[in-house]
Amino acid sequence: MRLKDLAEHLGLSQTTVSRALNGYPEVNEATRRRVADAADQLGYRPNASALRLATGRAGAIGLVLRGADELGPHMSEFLSGVGSYMAGQEIDMLVSTVGSHQEELAAYRRLAASQKVDAVILHSPTVSDERAELLTELKIPFVLHGRTNIGQPVAWLDIDNTSALERATSHLLDLGHRRIALLNGVKGRTFAEHREIGYRAALTTRGVAVDPALLSNSAFTDEIAFRLAQAMLELKPRPTAFLAGSMMTALGVFRAIRQAGLQLGTDVSMIAHDDVFPYLNADNMYPSMSTTRSSIRQAGTRIAELITQILAGKPQADVHELWPVELVLRESSGPAPRA
Amino acid sequence: MRLKDLAEHLGLSQTTVSRALNGYPEVNEATRRRVADAADQLGYRPNASALRLATGRAGAIGLVLRGADELGPHMSEFLSGVGSYMAGQEIDMLVSTVGSHQEELAAYRRLAASQKVDAVILHSPTVSDERAELLTELKIPFVLHGRTNIGQPVAWLDIDNTSALERATSHLLDLGHRRIALLNGVKGRTFAEHREIGYRAALTTRGVAVDPALLSNSAFTDEIAFRLAQAMLELKPRPTAFLAGSMMTALGVFRAIRQAGLQLGTDVSMIAHDDVFPYLNADNMYPSMSTTRSSIRQAGTRIAELITQILAGKPQADVHELWPVELVLRESSGPAPRA
DNA sequence: AAACGCATTCAAAGCGATTTCAAATTTTGA
DNA sequence: TCAAAATTTGAAATCGCTTTGAATGCGTTT
C-alpha cells in the first residue's frame, strides 16, 4: 500500500493525502477525516526509506556498544528506558556492537556518512572522550550519559557521583569505620574518577589516610568483585566496610564476606551503588542493602527526551542535567566492629 | 558528499560511479580503481535512505524486546552475537522495546507496513507462538530462536533442551539423588516445556515419581531463585539436588544453600544451565559449577548468518538447526548424601 | 570500406514519500 | 453581482540512489 494507491483509492491527489495525514492546516476537515479513516482501515503507513529521503531526517538514533563490556545489565536497563520514550516518538534505535575502540570510531564515521541516524547517545565516557570529539567534528548531535572534558560544550546528563560517594563514605566514617574499601569502576571513566574524588574528599576531611590497597578499579561483575573483596578481606587489618560500585559488585562482595565467615551488617558493612534493576531489589536482600540509588532506566528515558529536544532545535550547550543520588540506609551498613 | 558530487569530481556519470562502487563487471578496471580511491579519500558513503528506497531492501533486521523480561543478560549476550556478525554485513539492528504482548504485535505490524526491516529475529517463543503466526501472515521473514508449533513451517535454531535436561537429571540419579528440584523458566515458553519433558523422562525411566513441589517456573533471576530454593530446602525431606535454569538462577540457589548452612557439592548438588556469560564463569566459582552449556552468543551469531541466507533466497522451511548441549561436570554435582 | 561485436559509458526513468507553486473552487465584501 | 480573497486541491519537482536501455568508440571481420 503506497501513498499513490491510497490516493487513487480515495480519488484524491497524493499531495492532499499526504497533507491530510501529516496534519497540514490547508486541508478540509471532512477530507482529512475521510483520508485518516481510509489510511487506518487499509493499514497504510508511509515507507520509511522514502519518508526519510524526502524529509532528510533519519528518524533514528544510534547506539554503539562495545561488546561484552557495555552490553551488560546496566546497558539493558538504560536501553529499555530510552526505548520506552522513543517508541512514542516514532524514532528507532539503531544499535551497533563493536569490538574495539577503533571499530567504534569507524562505526560513528559510517553512521555520519550514510546519514543513518539523527543523533546518538554516548555512554560511559572517559575523562576526555575521543568519541565525543569525533562526534562534534562530524556534526552529529549527541547526548552524553555522563560527563567529559573536551574543547566544545556538549549535552550531558549525569548523576552526582562525587557527592554520592562523599556522603556514603562520610556515613561509614560516622559509624566508626576507618578501613573503607572502594570497589570502583574502570580507571579513566569519568564516573569512576568522580566517585574516587568523593571518597577521598570524605576521608581527608576526617583526616583518614587513603590506603591504595583498599582501592580497586574493574568492571562491575559478580566474579571480579568476589575476588577483589576476598583478597582485601585477607589484609591485616582487614577493611570493615565496602563501597561497591554496582549491585553486581555487591553480590560478589557479599559472597566473599560469607565465604570469610563474616556477617554483613555487623562484622563488615557495605553500601552499594544501585542503578535500580527490576530483578535485583536491594530491599529484598538478606540483609537488605544500603545503597546510593539512581535509576539508570529513568536516565535513559530522560536522555531520549533531551535528544528529541535537541532535534527540535534546542542548543546542545544548554542541555546539562546533574541528578542527585539518594542515600538509602538499610541493614548492610552498621557500626564498625570493636577493634 | 553525494554520488552526484563524487561523479562530477571524477568527470564521470553517476551510473558509472555507482557501478564501479558496487562491483558491476562492465566497468573498466582502471576506472574502478580511480573511483574507489576517490570515494575512499573523500569519505563517500551512499545515503542509506536513498539506497534503501532504490533497492527496496531495508538493510536492517528488527528485534522487538519486551521490557524488563527480555532485556536481561541473556538478551545482551545474544544481541552482541547477532551484532558481531551483522556488523560485517552492513546490516543494522533495529531494536524496539515494548511493554505488553499487544504492543509487541502492533510493533511488528508497524515494522512491516513501513518496511523498516528485511527480517526479524524472534526470541523465547511459546509453544504456539502468536507472533510467529503474525509474521508469516505479514510475510516478513524471520528466524526463531527456539521452536514453536504453528501451521506453517518456520526457520529456527534451537538447542536440545530436552536431551540436556534428560542427561543432567540422569547423571544426578546415577549419583544417587532422588529428590531433584527443577527451577525452570516461565511456563508456556517452549524451552521450559522441553526441559520439563527431559527432566520427567529421566525420572520416569528410573521409576522415580515427579514431585510437583520440586518443580517451579519463573524468570531467571538471582532473587527469585533464592526464594524458591529457600522454600524448597525447608521441605522434609529436602531436595538433594537442583537443576538451575540459568547461571543467575544458580547464584540464587547457591545463596539459599549457604544460608541453610549446607555445602554445595556435598550436602546439595546442582547442575545449572550455562549460556556462557563472559563475566560469570562456571569454572571460576567456588565450588566450580557443573553445567549444561551452550553459548547463546554463538547462537546469535549463527542466527544472524541464517538470516542473511534467507535474505539471499534460501527457503525458510529449510532452515532448522538443533544444537547439542554439552554436559560439563564439575564440583557442584556430587554423590547424594546418606539419608 | 561497411558492418559487426565488444567493452565502456551515459541519460533518464524509477523507488515512495514531501513540498513548492499554480490552479480550481468557494466565500466574502462592496 | 462581480472582483478579490480565502480555502482547498493538484501537477510536478525534489530527495540520492540504482538500473534500464541507448549511445559511443574501437578493433575485427567480411
Side-chain angles (χ1 to χ4, degrees), chain A residues 2-3 18-19 22 24 44 46-47:
Chain A
R2 299 166 305 163
L3 180 61
S18 171
R19 279 178 176 146
N22 291 303
Y24 282 72
Y44 167 79
N47 176 296

Side-chain angles (χ1 to χ4, degrees), chain B:
Chain B
M1 168 66 48
R2 299 164 305 164
L3 180 61
K4 191 176 175 187
D5 303 324
L6 181 58
E8 280 171 5
H9 175 85
L10 286 161
L12 288 169
S13 73
Q14 298 189 37
T15 312
T16 304
V17 175
S18 171
R19 279 179 173 144
L21 293 175
N22 291 306
Y24 281 71
E26 62 267 64
V27 36
N28 185 299
E29 203 46 51
T31 315
R32 183 194 306 286
R33 191 173 318 279
R34 205 161 64 90
V35 172
D37 288 350
D40 222 61
Q41 194 215 314
L42 296 171
Y44 168 79
R45 306 210 97 227
N47 176 296
S49 310
L51 190 150
R52 289 164 179 183
L53 180 56
T55 59
R57 276 174 281 113
I61 61 156
L63 282 147
V64 178
L65 309 179
R66 250 176 312 192
D69 306 20
E70 289 193 348
L71 243 169
H74 292 87
M75 184 47 76
S76 298
E77 261 309 280
F78 182 77
L79 255 190
S80 64
V82 175
S84 70
Y85 185 83
M86 287 311 189
Q89 302 292 112
E90 302 262 356
I91 294 185
D92 300 320
M93 295 191 292
L94 209 64
V95 175
S96 324
T97 58
V98 293
S100 68
H101 186 59
Q102 279 317 307
E103 267 180 58
E104 184 172 12
L105 295 179
Y108 287 121
R109 287 186 189 283
R110 271 208 309 277
L111 283 181
S114 55
Q115 300 164 71
K116 277 182 184 166
V117 298
D118 296 316
V120 310
I121 295 178
L122 214 53
H123 204 76
S124 306
T126 58
V127 176
S128 161
D129 200 282
E130 200 180 346
R131 304 167 302 167
E133 284 180 328
L134 176 62
L135 288 172
T136 46
E137 180 193 323
L138 293 173
K139 295 194 201 319
I140 141 169
F142 66 99
V143 173
L144 188 57
H145 184 207
R147 271 172 286 176
T148 191
N149 237 307
I150 61 171
Q152 293 73 31
V154 305
W156 56 263
L157 181 151
D158 198 4
I159 62 176
D160 194 345
N161 282 299
T162 301
S163 152
L165 264 282
E166 212 244 308
R167 282 153 56 216
T169 309
S170 295
H171 177 70
L172 290 171
L173 288 165
D174 289 343
L175 290 170
H177 295 274
R178 287 299 174 269
R179 305 269 301 152
I180 303 174
L182 172 61
L183 268 58
N184 205 349
V186 173
K187 196 85 193 164
R189 305 265 198 232
T190 314
F191 79 91
E193 302 298 328
H194 284 172
R195 287 182 183 179
E196 185 169 334
I197 290 170
Y199 168 80
R200 283 177 182 275
L203 290 180
T204 358
T205 303
R206 305 292 184 97
V208 177
V210 174
D211 181 351
L214 297 183
L215 266 177
S216 73
N217 291 90
S218 71
F220 289 148
T221 77
D222 183 283
E223 198 54 37
I224 296 177
F226 174 72
R227 303 209 188 156
L228 289 170
Q230 205 176 31
M232 288 180 180
L233 285 172
E234 280 170 7
L235 296 173
K236 316 265 173 199
R238 62 165 175 77
T240 64
F242 283 88
L243 291 161
S246 80
M247 291 299 279
M248 319 299 141
T249 310
L251 290 178
V253 173
F254 187 46
R255 262 168 61 209
I257 290 173
R258 295 204 135 261
Q259 177 112 340
L262 299 168
Q263 274 288 331
L264 177 59
T266 55
D267 300 325
V268 185
S269 285
M270 168 151 62
I271 300 181
H273 184 74
D274 183 7
D275 295 287
V276 189
F277 302 104
Y279 45 84
L280 201 57
N281 192 321
D283 219 358
N284 290 344
M285 301 177 80
Y286 299 95
S288 60
M289 188 72 61
S290 295
T291 60
T292 50
R293 179 175 62 189
S294 182
S295 161
I296 194 172
R297 176 182 243 279
Q298 271 177 34
T301 305
R302 178 62 178 158
I303 284 181
E305 203 175 336
L306 293 175
I307 289 223
T308 60
Q309 292 180 6
I310 286 177
L311 291 181
K314 181 162 182 176
Q316 289 193 57
D318 293 358
V319 176
H320 302 310
E321 287 193 13
L322 186 61
W323 286 14
V325 175
E326 278 178 284
L327 178 60
V328 185
L329 299 175
R330 298 197 184 86
E331 298 162 1
S332 70
S333 57
R338 302 284 172 109

